[in-house]
Amino acid sequence: MSHSFRRLGEADLSLLLQWESLCFPGEEWTEKMIQTHLEFHVAFGYGNPDTQCYALVCETPWEIEIFRIATLPNYRKLGLAKELILALFQEFPKKEFFLEVKESNEVAIRLYQSVGFIELERRKKYYPDGSTAVLMKRNPPE
């Protein structure tokens, strides 16, 4: 079965709010945060037939920063986040990618490493809960 990769927009706001509460309980983005993101940045959904995974990204002329990437709980451990990241690489083939992830999120760190991200630095006490952020980067293929 093929999966669909699509840009998300204002029409998807209520879905994004639901997905945030399912994927990041207690740390979900607010409606205003998501609205502002959609106004100035881009979002993508991935799944079959409906969105099962999503990403909120910032595109500049030279790089992509992944602000959020998440798989809905019922679809985890199926490789969808990896497929979504690979689709983002195809969408922006010449750009560097950056992201930050909690040091304790070892599953995500292994995923990012498996698709070519390397660790740049660690930011101590970066998150509101006092945890450390790992800043990661992936260069475009030469």
Side-chain angles (χ1 to χ4, degrees), residues 51-119:
T51 297
Q52 299 160 332
C53 188
Y54 69 99
L56 304 176
V57 304
C58 173
E59 178 186 8
T60 72
W62 55 90
E63 69 186 30
I64 300 294
E65 183 174 356
I66 300 174
F67 288 158
R68 287 286 228 210
I69 186 163
T71 302
L72 298 176
N74 291 343
Y75 302 102
R76 291 185 179 152
K77 300 193 186 314
L78 300 175
L80 294 171
K82 184 174 188 174
E83 290 177 30
L84 174 56
I85 293 170
L86 295 174
L88 289 170
F89 292 165
Q90 288 184 331
E91 182 78 6
F92 306 104
K94 298 190 183 318
K95 297 193 179 191
E96 295 178 327
F97 277 75
F98 291 89
L99 58 81
E100 62 195 34
V101 58
K102 281 188 179 182
E103 179 180 55
S104 61
N105 193 344
E106 294 172 4
V107 171
I109 291 170
R110 282 193 303 274
L111 165 65
Y112 302 141
Q113 289 171 334
S114 78
V115 295
F117 281 88
I118 59 166
E119 182 178 327

Side-chain angles (χ1 to χ4, degrees), residues 32-46:
K32 181 67 174 163
M33 291 168 76
I34 295 172
Q35 271 182 324
T36 302
H37 180 87
L38 292 173
E39 187 177 338
F40 296 104
H41 305 298
V42 291
F44 294 92
Y46 186 81

